[in-house]
Amino acid sequence: MDLLGKKVLVAGCGKSGLGAAGLLQKAGAVPVLFDENEKLDGKALCAREDYPKDTALVLGSLPKELLSELSLAVLSPGISIEEAFVSTLEEADIPVWGEIELAWNFEKGKVLAITGTNGKTTTTTLVGEIMKRYQDNTFVVGNIGTPYTQEVLKTDKDSVTVAEISSFQLETAVHFHPSVSAILNITPDHLNRHHTMENYAAVKESITKNQTKDDFCVLNHEDSWLKAFAPKCPAQVIWFSSKEKLERGYYLVGSKICRNLGNGEEVLLDVDEMQLIGVHNFENVMAAIAIAAAYGVPMETILDTVKHFQAVEHRIEYVATKNGVVYYNDSKGTNPDAAIQAIRAMKWPTVLIGGGYDKQNTYDEWIEAFDGKVKLLVLIGQTREKIAECAKKHGMENIVLADSFEEAMDTCVKAACPGDAVLLSPACASWGMFPNYEVRGKMFKEYVNSLKG
């Protein structure tokens, strides 16, 4: 779409919205920032360094007279397509995009896109590091923290963009077309937004909707949703598996990551050569290898990068050892499946901090995964009673409900003995107590690093 001189509504005034408005302004469009929160401090917002200069701001309800002037609307990921004003836009025949679709409109190079319930950030970061070793003009964007809209005007025909894409971002993608996509897994999450697992899975799978047989899609062979999806996938499917030796794909045999692309088995590396721990990370690594290899990166470059790659911040991140107790920060474990992977990675009796915002998830599988390893469960936030009830149902009795994060940390330090681990892996979003999981994780690390010993 040619947006030169066109008026475009940007809904949402957070990082994504400001990034979209900035891109539109640079591209010669006329952005109008909109937020339904009429109590938002407009003066403070307009004073921000990243606020596009002279951009109009509308707070509260959407003026009817503005509708007739709009050529496009761009939604920030946090805004549901079910909001009433979105229906108003659609009824007025105004195209509704998200930030990913807006950025794609200006993309000049190739895109490698990664989605899935868990593992996206680790896989995206690793693929980004591999691509940077191989190709100078590489951008790592999306749900990982840097808005795609902020970087896309720097792309050229030789560049590669590695993008972490959430289900919220995929809801409003129209023509977005990665050369290589990956769906790492599909497990229950965000059902308060997508309502059913069928809807959630369909949104994740839509990352491939514009791909062709000239493109590739990397899928998890152990995921039942993805096995069902594979025959419908429009791209060439590349499988990875942590449990099964595949006739074609990437797989784990004991501690060896192997591949077979139809020419016999090839051992790529031993997981003991890596800095990452846990089977879920072995899956992330296989996915990253498959993505980079499908793009054409030499295996020597891929494997050398993998061996030196360390865990991303807030994802089973080693923090410190204090008085014989190891502390791990898994604040990014914002759903039960992610938290399952973290507890499985622990090799010690574990004092576990869980709880937070209620995304309508269930916690039975998470509690079952404790498998006698969790010596104390410390719960915080909106879900603490719900999780405690579930834990007791599964025979877990050593539970403490804390009224604050500091109280939770104090409890953990007192309970942990030399040879134990303290793990922050909440299985819930941070909202309500913290603005985001990063703040939650940083508070954990600051507390741990302040301990003596």
Side-chain angles (χ1 to χ4, degrees):
M1 184 184 291
D2 182 6
L3 296 174
L4 186 64
K6 303 288 179 62
K7 187 169 283 190
V8 180
L9 185 78
V10 178
C13 294
K15 190 174 183 179
S16 295
L18 295 180
L23 169 60
L24 287 162
Q25 193 176 74
K26 290 173 186 173
V30 182
V32 177
L33 274 161
F34 167 68
D35 201 296
E36 286 189 299
N37 182 6
E38 59 186 13
K39 295 181 180 179
L40 201 64
D41 188 340
K43 286 186 178 179
L45 179 64
C46 294
R48 285 179 50 164
E49 283 186 17
D50 55 348
Y51 189 91
K53 190 177 179 182
D54 300 324
T55 295
L57 175 64
V58 177
L59 300 178
S61 57
L62 193 61
K64 290 183 179 178
E65 59 271 18
L66 181 60
L67 289 175
S68 61
E69 301 174 6
L70 296 174
S71 298
L72 175 69
V74 177
L75 301 187
S76 295
I79 298 174
S80 170
I81 56 175
E82 295 178 353
E83 293 287 344
F85 82 88
V86 178
S87 297
T88 301
L89 292 166
E90 290 171 340
E91 287 165 8
D93 291 325
I94 297 167
V96 176
W97 289 359
E99 60 165 339
I100 296 300
E101 184 65 22
L102 175 64
W104 172 254
N105 194 62
F106 298 96
E107 177 64 60
K108 301 179 188 70
K110 299 286 187 182
V111 174
L112 313 180
I114 295 128
T115 194
T117 307
N118 299 305
K120 296 187 297 296
T121 300
T122 297
T123 306
T124 302
T125 305
L126 176 52
V127 173
E129 291 301 306
I130 293 168
M131 296 312 302
K132 287 173 186 175
R133 289 274 302 272
Y134 178 65
Q135 198 155 320
D136 291 336
N137 207 8
T138 293
F139 305 95
V140 182
V141 303
N143 201 50
I144 199 166
T146 302
Y148 188 10
T149 50
Q150 186 176 305
E151 300 290 281
V152 71
L153 292 182
K154 302 174 189 174
T155 64
D156 57 39
K157 64 180 180 62
D158 298 317
S159 67
V160 61
T161 298
V162 182
E164 177 186 335
I165 310 291
S166 71
S167 60
F168 293 0
Q169 292 169 318
L170 285 170
E171 277 185 327
T172 46
V174 183
H175 301 102
F176 179 62
H177 182 168
S179 299
V180 184
S181 66
I183 311 174
L184 303 178
N185 43 60
I186 299 177
T187 60
D189 200 13
H190 301 302
L191 298 186
N192 56 330
R193 169 108 164 217
H194 300 297
H195 307 303
T196 68
M197 275 300 294
E198 287 75 16
N199 290 344
Y200 178 54
V203 171
K204 288 291 191 187
E205 291 160 3
S206 72
I207 197 170
T208 68
K209 67 183 178 183
N210 295 309
Q211 289 191 291
T212 70
K213 286 302 178 186
D214 292 330
D215 304 313
F216 298 93
C217 179
V218 175
L219 298 176
N220 188 340
H221 194 265
E222 304 314 314
D223 189 289
S224 58
W225 290 97
L226 297 178
K227 275 190 175 178
F229 168 67
K232 301 175 284 184
C233 181
Q236 298 180 58
V237 171
I238 303 172
W239 292 108
F240 67 91
S241 173
S242 59
K243 295 181 179 178
E244 190 175 336
K245 190 171 181 176
L246 304 177
E247 290 184 8
R248 196 174 185 91
Y250 295 78
Y251 50 89
L252 194 63
V253 178
S255 65
K256 311 287 187 185
I257 291 177
C258 306
R259 73 168 174 178
N260 190 336
L261 300 181
N263 300 316
E265 182 174 283
E266 177 186 3
V267 176
L268 300 179
L269 80 160
D270 193 301
V271 296
D272 292 336
E273 299 176 75
M274 294 164 30
Q275 310 295 311
L276 301 177
I277 62 171
V279 172
H280 68 289
N281 269 327
F282 305 156
E283 292 181 340
N284 295 337
V285 166
M286 285 189 283
I289 293 172
I291 293 164
Y295 184 82
V297 181
M299 190 55 68
E300 183 181 355
T301 301
I302 295 172
L303 297 181
D304 188 60
T305 308
V306 166
K307 289 172 186 177
H308 293 92
F309 181 76
Q310 296 185 335
V312 299
E313 190 176 16
H314 309 300
R315 192 67 181 107
I316 318 182
E317 175 194 11
Y318 171 74
V319 178
T321 299
K322 295 294 180 86
N323 301 309
V325 177
V326 292
Y327 289 82
Y328 276 87
N329 165 32
D330 188 52
S331 186
K332 204 173 189 306
T334 57
N335 60 66
D337 190 66
I340 286 171
Q341 308 308 326
I343 196 63
R344 284 177 177 167
M346 294 297 102
K347 304 172 185 176
W348 316 267
T350 301
V351 178
L352 174 63
I353 302 175
Y357 178 79
D358 193 354
K359 293 194 285 184
Q360 305 303 315
N361 288 327
T362 58
Y363 301 96
D364 298 87
E365 289 187 25
W366 178 44
I367 304 298
E368 288 173 5
F370 292 178
D371 197 25
K373 192 183 293 184
V374 176
K375 60 182 285 186
L376 175 65
L377 178 60
V378 182
L379 296 171
I380 57 175
Q382 186 184 38
T383 57
R384 61 182 187 167
E385 286 87 3
K386 180 179 178 180
I387 295 173
E389 184 179 340
C390 180
K392 288 174 183 176
K393 184 177 72 176
H394 289 275
M396 178 83 193
E397 294 292 339
N398 204 6
I399 302 168
V400 173
L401 303 186
D403 292 324
S404 68
F405 191 68
E406 186 173 7
E407 181 187 339
M409 290 300 301
D410 289 344
T411 302
C412 291
V413 171
K414 288 175 185 175
C417 303
D420 289 349
V422 172
L423 170 66
L424 169 66
S425 187
C428 300
S430 59
W431 312 315
M433 292 183 74
F434 309 92
N436 51 53
Y437 73 82
E438 292 98 335
V439 170
R440 180 170 60 187
K442 284 175 182 175
M443 284 185 65
F444 177 82
K445 293 197 289 185
E446 286 171 2
Y447 185 104
V448 171
N449 287 323
S450 71
L451 296 171
K452 293 181 180 178

